[in-house]
Amino acid sequence: MGRFYVTTPIYYVNDVPHLGTAYTTIIADALRRFHLLIGDETFMLTGTDEHGQKIERVAKEEGLDPKTFCDRISQRFREAWPKLEVGYDRFIRTTDDDHEAFVKDLWKKIEERGDLYEADYEDWYCVGCESYKTEKELEQPGNICPLHKKPVARVKESTYFFRLSKWEKPLLDFYERHPEFIQPETRRNEVLSFVRGGLRDLSCSRTSFSWGIPVPGNPKHVMYVWFDALTNYRSALGHSDLTRFWPPNAHVVHLVGKDILRFHAVYWPAFLLSAGYKEEELPNVVYAHGFLTIDGQKMSKALRNAVDPLKIAETLGADVLRYTLARSVAFGQDGDFDHAAMLERYNADLGKNLGNLLSRVLGLCTKMTDSKHPDDDPSTDGPVEKELADAYTTCVTAARKAWLDLAPHVALEQTFKLASAANAYVDRAAPWTEAKNGNTARIAKILSRLLRVLEALSVMISPVMPRKSDEMRAQLGLQPTVLGIGNDIWPLEMPSIRAGLTLAPSGPLFPTFDDKARDAILAKLVPAKEAPVTPAAATPPAPLAAGTIAYDDFAKVDLRVGSVKSCERVPKKDKLLRLTVDVGESEPRTIVAGLALSFTPEQLVGRKVIVVANLAPREFGKGLVSHGMLLASGPSEQLVLATVDGDAAPGARLK
Ligand code: MSP
């Protein structure tokens, strides 16, 4: 392969790192580390996506100018990744000067080739996705974004269009000639049918806000945030590396979540082709992975179910988290994350399989070989050695192939299959029986063979568990793996005999947790669940008195504390106010309320209110949709607002 360039998406700074974003970043780093093992030169890119309406809005809500806000959150990402053993080569910010200069340059190239033109534009836009939507893509009624569960906005402004339609045929030809470009296969088919369905020109600039890169020659416009963001993969390479880590001189893999595949697989190559890149200068692979879910729901800030990866890393070590994520989720598919399952897997794979193998072999060596690597004569191998050798070849070959095929879960499965084969070999070869018979040559063979397999395993786990790899090697009397460009150290052959080398056992590599220890860890890691809304019914419910409702009926109403962020009158509607209310979701909701005869907008901003959060959206005409209702009491001219006492956070449930 030679040079390997792997990227993560750049993360929006409206959120801090969570397990979902850590997932992609960890897998990218594991791939980087695997490629270092096989002697490739590598470059890993990650960073933050800082422009656009969404970020401008969140910054405003925090009372900060956008750049100060971005500095603050971007730093959280920059600092988080090394704590998860992620070694990126560049952390890019879309507010970096060199990035902005590069984006402007790309824009000019595309403009010079006639692929940008100015025209009026009107469409639906989801600020959460930072993406235009057709009505077909939205849930009705109310034009709701299916991902963010919020109504989208109607955008009408002058824009620069990118002539995406012109690239429909060249893109289809490119996909045809490079079936590996979009992976996995199912996702490829989705993109193919989207493009075959016809591409519309893409609105690529906005005039209704200013937090973005100004369009060269027309600074009233800022660039569409995705035009800016996608370009990071090129701008990050800087001028010296610009061709070095780019095709055809390097193999480029973009890892993305399935929700942002279209931007990467359609818009990005179209921008590049339009700017004059040739087909062989396009990225090699866009791989769309699935979502990490909690109880089947996507983990996200909006759903308030995000897990903090740093807390897990502090408690169990980053390596354990990395292993869990890479092994438990089939890359490409959604995977449910569960703390208890993580600990079970820890005990089974790490503690009882690999950890136990190491302890067993080192323990036997302490007793039988004076804590030294013994010597061996391979010409005297018996059938059990042959079996182990076969398992060895199968597993190391399959694991290597899986890494190259972007299937880390398979690579780890094969790695741990080898550990199981080695454990089975200890049982079958039974060195303790040989000891009773005084068969020292056989003991030496068995333990030497096992130490060699352990050395191979220390290399094979290193892409996901770099620290544990070093610790394991130290116990085996070995230095950390030595990497070098052109030096492929993937152990296709069993490592050589190291007769005489002193071992350094130092306790279990992965001490297993008993039930008590497991419960203590879970108590620390798992946030306390909200008390069940419905009390467990031990006795059948009593018949309802007339005019009453059952508790279950009441519990259907989702009442939440809201904080009013902004408020304005609705033109031509005397009674109505349009409010944006923070109910603890990623973005405030729009709520239309008949409060205008009792309150001025200024009187409401900053107030804590009670929101009926699960009321079906209600249309007030002209695209104005209310997403919830406020509770108030009194006649229209003398309303009092229902509010909460004390310090309840937005989104807190009333029950
Ligand atoms: N800023 C854009 C990406 C621009 S790349 C040129 C963006 N940012 S994001 O922060 O919203 O999402 C970044 C990535 O995190 C996406 O690939 C998304 O799929 C991924 N994930 C967010 N939540 C996730 C899970 N729960 N599980 C797995 N990945 C998830 O989109």
Side-chain angles (χ1 to χ4, degrees):
M1 200 161 273
R3 291 199 191 103
F4 179 73
Y5 175 27
V6 64
T7 68
T8 74
I10 45 174
Y11 302 107
Y12 284 132
V13 289
N14 68 321
D15 202 351
V16 293
H18 62 66
L19 202 61
T21 43
Y23 176 58
T24 330
T25 316
I26 285 172
I27 299 294
D29 181 70
L31 291 171
R32 173 187 77 85
R33 289 179 187 270
F34 168 76
H35 280 270
L36 285 172
L37 286 179
I38 63 169
D40 284 345
E41 237 181 309
T42 64
F43 194 96
M44 173 177 164
L45 176 68
T46 189
T48 44
D49 190 355
E50 304 186 6
H51 289 127
Q53 199 172 1
K54 166 155 73 181
I55 305 304
E56 188 180 73
R57 209 177 257 184
V58 183
K60 206 165 169 193
E61 278 164 23
E62 296 289 319
L64 294 171
D65 71 277
K67 183 61 172 44
T68 310
F69 174 77
C70 292
D71 287 350
R72 190 179 287 177
I73 308 289
S74 179
Q75 192 61 13
R76 300 272 298 266
F77 281 92
R78 190 192 290 271
E79 286 169 0
W81 302 143
K83 292 182 187 153
L84 302 179
E85 302 289 345
V86 169
Y88 49 74
D89 293 282
R90 175 160 179 191
F91 185 96
I92 193 167
R93 300 181 55 186
T94 51
T95 47
D96 287 341
D97 289 344
D98 64 335
H99 169 76
E100 293 203 12
F102 193 96
V103 176
K104 285 182 182 156
D105 195 53
L106 190 82
W107 180 281
K108 282 191 220 147
K109 285 202 172 89
I110 294 178
E111 194 170 34
E112 276 159 21
R113 298 170 76 96
D115 278 355
L116 285 164
Y117 64 95
E118 213 179 340
D120 279 340
Y121 181 63
E122 184 170 356
D123 208 348
W124 297 106
Y125 191 80
C126 172
V127 179
C129 296
E130 291 284 16
S131 172
Y132 303 94
K133 303 272 173 183
T134 59
E135 275 176 23
K136 257 203 280 168
E137 290 170 317
L138 299 170
E139 288 172 4
Q140 303 300 349
N143 294 316
I144 311 293
C145 165
L147 267 180
H148 291 88
K149 301 288 172 212
K150 298 269 183 60
V152 296
R154 192 77 186 156
V155 173
K156 188 175 178 203
E157 54 193 331
S158 152
T159 191
Y160 281 91
F161 275 102
F162 170 66
R163 256 182 239 287
L164 185 61
S165 52
K166 169 175 154 189
W167 296 99
E168 190 179 310
K169 173 84 171 63
L171 282 174
L172 288 170
D173 291 346
F174 171 65
Y175 302 148
E176 178 82 34
R177 279 191 282 269
H178 297 274
E180 73 295 344
F181 175 64
I182 304 166
Q183 296 186 43
E185 181 75 18
T186 46
R187 301 275 166 221
R188 176 170 191 267
N189 295 336
E190 282 170 23
V191 174
L192 287 184
S193 67
F194 171 73
V195 178
R196 284 189 189 128
L199 292 177
R200 294 191 301 162
D201 288 352
L202 180 71
S203 162
C204 253
S205 73
R206 305 286 303 271
T207 51
S208 52
F209 62 92
S210 59
W211 181 236
I213 301 183
V215 165
N218 194 350
K220 267 200 316 223
H221 290 250
V222 291
M223 292 181 200
Y224 176 38
V225 62
W226 275 98
F227 184 90
D228 162 1
L230 289 162
T231 308
N232 93 92
Y233 302 128
R234 277 304 276 144
S235 67
L237 295 176
H239 289 294
S240 59
D241 275 343
L242 208 54
T243 53
R244 195 170 150 76
F245 277 102
W246 197 256
N249 300 325
H251 186 77
V252 177
V253 175
H254 295 315
L255 300 185
V256 302
K258 61 183 181 182
D259 52 334
I260 57 170
L261 175 60
R262 186 183 299 177
F263 300 95
H264 286 79
V266 182
Y267 303 165
W268 178 223
F271 293 154
L272 289 171
L273 287 170
S274 167
Y277 286 68
K278 303 194 186 71
E279 246 185 56
E280 59 276 19
E281 292 167 336
L282 295 182
N284 304 84
V285 176
V286 175
Y287 192 101
H289 63 72
F291 289 149
L292 280 193
T293 57
I294 290 267
D295 297 331
Q297 279 197 307
K298 183 188 177 199
M299 189 182 298
S300 72
K301 186 179 167 195
L303 297 172
R304 295 154 65 83
N305 62 356
V307 171
D308 179 3
L310 298 180
K311 204 163 155 192
I312 299 179
E314 274 159 25
T315 312
L316 298 171
D319 283 20
V320 173
L321 173 66
R322 291 168 62 103
Y323 175 73
T324 309
L325 292 178
R327 175 69 185 90
S328 315
V329 183
F331 198 53
Q333 287 164 29
D334 289 352
D336 212 49
F337 180 82
D338 176 75
H339 288 89
M342 170 172 70
L343 297 183
E344 258 170 49
R345 188 178 277 287
Y346 170 95
N347 269 352
D349 295 3
L350 301 179
K352 294 192 182 133
N353 189 357
L354 180 60
N356 185 41
L357 178 68
L358 181 70
S359 310
R360 268 175 116 182
V361 173
L362 292 178
L364 290 166
C365 289
T366 308
K367 280 197 222 130
M368 298 177 182
T369 69
D370 194 21
S371 287
K372 290 207 165 34
H373 283 248
D375 205 352
D376 177 22
D377 174 6
S379 68
T380 59
D381 278 3
V384 277
E385 281 75 38
K386 172 83 178 63
E387 237 172 74
L388 179 64
D390 289 346
Y392 183 91
T393 308
T394 309
C395 294
V396 290
T397 313
R400 181 188 177 100
K401 179 172 181 317
W403 278 116
L404 290 168
D405 291 348
L406 306 174
H409 58 293
V410 178
L412 290 171
E413 186 190 313
Q414 292 298 326
T415 302
F416 281 75
K417 220 162 141 188
L418 176 57
S420 302
N423 266 316
Y425 172 72
V426 188
D427 296 337
R428 305 215 16 225
W432 44 90
T433 311
E434 303 294 349
K436 275 188 211 139
N437 302 334
N439 197 345
T440 46
R442 186 89 200 125
I443 291 171
K445 171 182 299 297
I446 297 165
L447 294 178
S448 164
R449 204 56 58 94
L450 286 162
L451 288 167
R452 291 164 69 195
V453 173
L454 280 164
E455 179 175 342
L457 286 168
S458 76
V459 178
M460 294 167 79
I461 63 167
S462 68
V464 275
M465 293 191 282
R467 266 185 197 267
K468 289 292 178 185
S469 162
D470 288 353
E471 278 173 44
M472 186 172 167
R473 293 177 69 82
Q475 297 211 28
L476 294 169
L478 302 167
Q479 296 297 316
T481 45
V482 179
L483 303 169
I485 295 169
N487 188 18
D488 184 345
I489 57 163
W490 186 260
L492 280 176
E493 300 291 328
M494 208 180 276
S496 49
I497 299 164
R498 298 192 181 264
L501 184 72
T502 305
L503 297 160
S506 61
L509 191 61
F510 299 104
T512 48
F513 303 121
D514 59 16
D515 289 356
K516 206 170 141 210
R518 184 203 56 202
D519 291 348
I521 294 172
L522 289 179
K524 193 166 164 198
L525 291 180
V526 185
K529 283 232 159 74
E530 278 187 27
V533 177
T534 314
T539 47
L544 295 174
T548 60
I549 59 167
Y551 179 83
D552 283 1
D553 292 325
F554 164 70
K556 284 184 198 152
V557 185
D558 187 12
L559 295 176
R560 301 274 171 173
V561 175
S563 166
V564 179
K565 294 287 161 194
S566 68
C567 181
E568 63 190 17
R569 293 186 188 281
V570 177
K572 300 194 192 139
K573 303 267 182 191
D574 294 349
K575 284 190 182 171
L576 296 185
L577 292 177
R578 179 184 176 279
L579 303 97
T580 57
V581 183
D582 177 5
V583 284
E585 298 165 333
S586 66
E587 282 173 41
R589 292 184 181 204
T590 298
I591 296 182
V592 181
L595 300 173
L597 300 182
S598 300
F599 298 94
T600 62
E602 297 72 41
Q603 285 172 317
L604 292 177
V605 174
R607 294 282 295 271
K608 288 266 165 70
V609 289
I610 297 178
V611 178
V612 183
N614 59 344
L615 201 63
R618 195 170 151 210
E619 275 260 12
F620 283 80
K622 298 225 167 105
L624 185 62
V625 180
S626 184
H627 291 272
M629 185 175 90
L630 304 189
L631 298 187
S633 156
S636 300
E637 300 78 18
Q638 288 169 18
L639 284 169
V640 284
L641 267 185
T643 180
V644 280
D645 196 19
D647 205 17
R653 185 161 188 169
L654 286 103
K655 39 190 179 191

